[in-house]
């Protein structure tokens, strides 16, 4: 199997509802997404997918929805409403806590299938770095 991986970086705030430590507080990270794609066969010019297509589609989605935004659990809507009304901040709500694990899973199972449907390629792995030393992976079996 041949795969290709594109790195996408973004900055965002989040908080983890129910966390017993510092992550309960709203805080930010410099995230890095590594998205890995495969295809049944290479294109006529020998590519799984053009890296610029990943940048345009997935990078565009990340830039619009997560970069320089707050990513919150939908149960945190009161906080999100206060933030967005006071400083015109965009909020991206998830059905779960915005942990690195849940964010990676969300990209792999929800966002990438929408962005790359009917393209003949599949995203098989998302690695999401929350810090330079810590990452979570979601992988299709």
């Amino acid at each position: 199997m041949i795969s290709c991986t594109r790195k996408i970086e973004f900055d965002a705030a989040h908080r983890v509802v129910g966390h017993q430590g510092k992550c309960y507080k709203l805080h930010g990270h410099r995230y890095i997404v590594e998205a890995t794609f495969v295809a049944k066969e290479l294109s006529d010019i020998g590519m799984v997918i053009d890296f610029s297509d990943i940048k345009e589609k997935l990078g565009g989605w990340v830039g619009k929805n997560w970069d320089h935004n707050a990513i919150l659990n939908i149960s945190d809507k009161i906080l999100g409403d206060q933030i967005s009304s006071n400083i015109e901040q965009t909020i991206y709500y998830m059905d779960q806590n915005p942990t690195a694990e849940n964010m990676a899973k969300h990209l792999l199972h929800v966002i990438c299938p929408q962005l790359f449907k009917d393209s003949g390629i599949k995203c098989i792995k998302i690695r999401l770095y929350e810090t330079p030393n810590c990452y979570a992976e979601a992988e299709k079996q």
Side-chain angles (χ1 to χ4, degrees):
M1 175 173 43
I2 298 175
S3 65
C4 66
T5 301
R6 171 86 195 209
K7 186 186 295 187
I8 298 165
E9 299 184 25
F10 67 100
D11 300 291
H14 77 149
R15 87 177 192 111
V16 181
V17 175
H19 193 276
Q20 299 300 308
K22 294 190 282 185
C23 291
Y24 180 72
K25 297 178 182 179
L26 187 64
H27 62 285
H29 294 286
R30 175 69 176 166
Y31 290 95
I32 298 172
V33 174
E34 293 179 355
T36 301
F37 293 85
V38 296
K40 290 183 180 176
E41 56 186 50
L42 297 180
S43 71
D44 293 342
I45 60 171
M47 296 179 173
V48 170
I49 183 174
D50 193 310
F51 290 119
S52 65
D53 290 342
I54 301 170
K55 179 182 179 183
E56 178 186 319
K57 290 179 182 176
L58 183 56
W61 185 92
V62 167
K64 179 181 177 189
N65 294 283
W66 283 0
D67 188 36
H68 285 81
N69 289 330
I71 305 167
L72 299 176
N73 187 321
I74 192 66
S75 70
D76 233 356
K77 187 114 172 55
I78 293 171
L79 173 63
D81 289 346
Q82 290 174 340
I83 293 168
S84 63
S85 67
N86 287 326
I87 61 170
E88 298 180 25
Q89 176 68 53
T90 302
I91 309 295
Y92 185 88
Y93 291 104
M94 295 182 62
D95 291 336
Q96 304 165 322
N97 269 326
T99 60
E101 294 87 346
N102 284 334
M103 291 168 66
K105 185 174 72 170
H106 184 67
L107 288 174
L108 182 67
H109 294 291
V110 177
I111 302 307
C112 283
Q114 292 172 7
L115 296 175
F116 296 95
K117 69 180 176 188
D118 302 326
S119 68
I121 63 147
K122 298 223 182 300
C123 184
I124 60 162
K125 183 167 81 172
I126 296 287
R127 177 180 283 179
L128 181 74
Y129 284 86
E130 190 172 272
T131 71
N133 301 316
C134 302
Y135 67 83
E137 285 184 340
E139 192 168 356
K140 289 192 176 176
Q141 300 297 330

